[in-house]
Amino acid sequence: MLKGLGGLGDMAKMMKAAQDMQQKMADLQEEMQQMTVTGESGAGLVKATCTVKGELKGLDIDPSIFSADDKEVVEDLILAAIKDAQGRAAEKAQEEMGKLTEGLGLPKDMKLPF
């Protein structure tokens, strides 16, 4: 019996774990394309929805804010809602990654390449 064989068994376990993690990462990437968050501004007058990956998917604007005099205000509210949605998306992405790394026995705050 070769003494080095035990090391090969450990290496095989590590390779399997790496493959499992790679698959879980791919699955999570796909899920995050479908997950959405909604940001808002103006107490809900403008809402922006985006994927957890940060892709803007929709805007919902209350018609009461449309007035030629308030054009800049409306633009600011739209930008604020989009930024809020993107911020929420980033938080959700971190939360989902934290669940994945914790499930793999890695530190929750470990930064993975995303």
Side-chain angles (χ1 to χ4, degrees), residues 4 12-13 35 48-49 64 66 89 92 99:
K13 283 182 190 171
M35 287 181 204
T49 302
S64 69
F66 290 112
K92 182 72 173 168
K99 288 180 196 173

Side-chain angles (χ1 to χ4, degrees), residues 30-46:
E30 201 169 305
E31 286 174 32
M32 287 171 46
Q33 281 295 93
Q34 306 306 316
M35 287 181 204
T36 60
V37 292
T38 301
E40 60 180 61
S41 65
L45 290 174
V46 178

Side-chain angles (χ1 to χ4, degrees), residues 66-90:
F66 290 112
S67 162
D69 298 337
D70 296 333
K71 179 181 182 297
E72 288 176 8
V73 171
V74 171
E75 291 168 347
D76 288 344
L77 286 173
I78 291 169
L79 283 175
I82 292 169
K83 286 179 182 174
D84 187 41
Q86 289 172 333
R88 291 172 190 243

Side-chain angles (χ1 to χ4, degrees), residues 4-52:
L5 209 53
L8 289 175
D10 290 345
M11 184 64 129
K13 283 182 190 171
M14 284 176 46
M15 292 297 288
K16 174 79 172 111
Q19 286 174 337
D20 289 348
M21 182 176 173
Q22 195 173 18
Q23 184 58 51
K24 286 181 181 175
M25 288 282 288
D27 292 347
L28 181 59
Q29 287 276 4
E30 201 169 305
E31 286 174 32
M32 287 171 46
Q33 281 295 93
Q34 306 306 316
M35 287 181 204
T36 60
V37 292
T38 301
E40 60 180 61
S41 65
L45 290 174
V46 178
K47 295 176 184 167
T49 302
C50 69
T51 67
V52 173

